[in-house]
């Protein structure tokens, strides 16, 4: 984590500005805590990645395998004690660590796909921005690309292991945070460009759009999705199709760019393993919100 990122981060529970307690530092902060004096909550920074979850024990309850890895990653006695205490607080839920690790590997092996090359060209067609946010950035394929021509870029994802891989590439204008997309870790901070690709099946679409709408006052939003909502018990309750997505974006003040008013079918191929691939047809929507 870059110390300069602290300026933009807020407590996910009360949006109070956070204090920094550094335990290990190199080019950036390797280990430490972000602390909210209002809520008395601690948020660990491990392997350069801050985890801003307002109930850290709850986060570990469905990442207990990751919890053990975090313990091995850290050198600070205080952070190790913090991890131990939180690992024993909650009943263990179905663990997501292995699934998130697998998908990080899949994205890594698919980073040269037609879809990502298409999206890089699409992002390059937009004006340069001062402050960019990507929801669901995973291993940082596009956040890293965005950092080449934008002033400051932040990637947000729920997977620590994905962001740990993303942090392997050091860039002074690029940072990553483990957090829920619906949390308010940026307070009233506004972005010039927000990217949210292929994550509507992971969060309630309308809630995500409402949150994003509050994060942009004058700028662009790029969204895409294959609308693959069939996740069994983990499916979102109120999915949006291509038409409903555009209607929702218009309702919260976005003007849909003319070339994305009609649903599109962009190929996105993911290499699952040496014998299997997953082929999606992804819909792209670009919206603009203006203060004028």
């Amino acid at each position: 984590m870059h110390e300069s990122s602290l300026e933009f981060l807020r407590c996910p529970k009360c949006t109070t500005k956070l204090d920094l307690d550094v335990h290990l530092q190199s080019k950036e902060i390797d280990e430490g805590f972000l602390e909210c004096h209002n809520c008395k909550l601690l948020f660990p920074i491990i392997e350069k990645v801050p985890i801003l979850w307002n109930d850290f024990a709850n986060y570990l309850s469905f990442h207990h395998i990751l919890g053990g890895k975090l313990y091995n990653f850290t050198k600070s006695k205080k952070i190790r004690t913090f991890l131990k205490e939180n690992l024993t607080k909650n009943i263990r839920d179905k663990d997501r660590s292995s699934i998130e690790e697998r998908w990080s590997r899949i994205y890594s092996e698919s980073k040269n796909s037609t879809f990502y090359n298409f999206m890089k060209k699409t992002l390059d067609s937009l004006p340069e921005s001062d402050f960019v946010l990507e929801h669901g950035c995973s291993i940082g394929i596009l956040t890293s690309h965005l950092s080449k021509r934008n002033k400051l870029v932040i990637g947000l994802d729920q997977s620590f292991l994905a962001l740990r891989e993303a942090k392997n590439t050091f860039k002074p204008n690029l940072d990553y945070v483990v957090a829920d997309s619906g949390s308010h870790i940026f307070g009233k901070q506004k972005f010039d460009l927000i990217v949210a690709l292929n994550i509507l099946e992971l969060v309630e679409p309308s809630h995500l759009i409402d949150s994003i709408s509050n994060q942009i006052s004058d700028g662009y939003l790029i969204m895409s999705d294959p609308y693959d909502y069939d996740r069994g018990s983990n499916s979102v309750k109120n999915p949006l199709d291509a038409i409903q997505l555009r209607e929702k974006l218009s309702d919260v003040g976005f003007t849909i760019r003319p070339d994305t008013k009609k649903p599109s079918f962009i190929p996105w191929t993911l290499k699952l393993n040496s014998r299997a691939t997953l082929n999606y047809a992804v819909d792209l929507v670009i919206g603009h919100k203006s203060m004028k």
Side-chain angles (χ1 to χ4, degrees):
M1 172 186 164
H2 302 302
E3 192 165 348
S4 58
S5 299
L6 184 63
E7 177 183 350
F8 308 105
L9 298 179
R10 299 292 184 271
C11 173
K13 186 173 183 180
C14 69
T15 69
T16 297
K17 191 171 182 177
L18 298 167
D19 294 324
L20 176 63
D21 177 18
V22 179
H23 291 200
L24 184 64
Q25 187 166 6
S26 53
K27 287 184 179 179
E28 51 187 308
I29 300 161
D30 297 278
E31 290 184 19
F33 283 104
L34 295 173
E35 183 175 359
C36 176
H37 282 297
N38 184 48
C39 295
K40 307 302 180 186
L41 292 176
L42 290 175
F43 307 98
I45 303 167
I46 301 172
E47 293 276 293
K48 305 179 180 68
V49 179
I51 304 175
L52 288 185
W53 212 267
N54 62 5
D55 186 343
F56 187 70
N58 172 259
Y59 182 76
L60 291 182
S61 73
F62 52 88
H63 288 99
H64 42 272
I65 295 175
L66 172 64
K69 291 184 177 183
L70 293 177
Y71 185 86
N72 290 328
F73 291 156
T74 57
K75 297 179 181 178
S76 165
K77 183 178 179 180
K78 185 176 178 180
I79 295 178
R80 285 188 164 197
T81 299
F82 175 79
L83 289 169
K84 278 185 176 179
E85 290 174 349
N86 281 276
L87 277 167
T88 59
K89 282 183 180 178
N90 278 355
I91 297 174
R92 293 182 176 185
D93 203 344
K94 186 175 181 181
D95 192 78
R96 300 181 192 175
S97 307
S98 297
I99 294 174
E100 291 178 2
E101 190 170 18
R102 176 173 180 260
W103 277 100
S104 294
R105 184 174 62 255
I106 290 170
Y107 291 135
S108 181
E109 293 178 354
S110 307
K111 62 185 177 183
N112 294 320
S113 69
T114 300
F115 172 76
Y116 288 117
N117 290 329
F118 175 85
M119 286 308 310
K120 288 175 182 179
K121 291 179 181 178
T122 301
L123 292 168
D124 289 346
S125 71
L126 298 175
E128 293 184 10
S129 299
D130 288 335
F131 205 16
V132 180
L133 172 65
E134 182 179 7
H135 286 272
C137 66
S138 187
I139 62 170
I141 296 171
L142 293 179
T143 37
S144 181
H145 181 77
L146 282 161
S147 68
K148 295 176 182 178
R149 61 188 300 271
N150 297 287
K151 189 174 179 180
L152 179 62
V153 181
I154 295 181
L156 192 71
D157 203 278
Q158 293 190 20
S159 172
F160 174 88
L161 293 173
L163 298 191
R164 179 175 182 254
E165 181 174 340
K167 286 295 288 187
N168 284 333
T169 302
F170 173 85
K171 293 186 178 182
N173 67 328
L174 175 61
D175 224 336
Y176 297 94
V177 183
V178 172
D180 185 277
S181 285
S183 64
H184 302 287
I185 66 165
F186 300 108
K188 297 180 180 180
Q189 177 66 48
K190 303 296 183 182
F191 296 86
D192 309 300
L193 170 63
I194 292 181
V195 180
L197 305 181
N198 311 331
I199 63 170
L200 294 185
E201 74 279 4
L202 303 176
V203 293
E204 286 295 330
S206 290
H207 294 169
L208 176 63
I209 293 170
D210 287 338
S211 179
I212 288 174
S213 176
N214 291 326
Q215 292 175 327
I216 295 181
S217 58
D218 191 353
Y220 288 90
L221 167 64
I222 295 186
M223 297 191 76
S224 70
D225 215 79
Y227 309 116
D228 180 18
Y229 291 113
D230 188 7
R231 306 280 160 164
S233 61
N234 295 321
S235 298
V236 299
K237 295 179 181 179
N238 297 293
L240 298 179
D241 61 24
I243 303 303
Q244 293 169 329
L245 176 61
R246 287 162 173 79
E247 289 175 348
K248 175 64 178 180
L249 289 172
S250 297
D251 288 344
V252 296
F254 286 99
T255 299
I256 307 301
R257 203 168 79 173
D259 60 333
T260 66
K261 283 188 175 181
K262 293 183 178 180
S264 51
F265 297 85
I266 304 161
W268 183 32
T269 301
L270 293 165
K271 184 179 179 181
L272 302 182
N273 55 54
S274 61
R275 293 179 178 269
T277 58
L278 179 62
N279 298 308
Y280 280 122
V282 175
D283 181 26
L284 173 68
V285 187
I286 301 177
H288 182 261
K289 181 180 280 191
S290 176
M291 295 176 63
K292 297 179 181 180

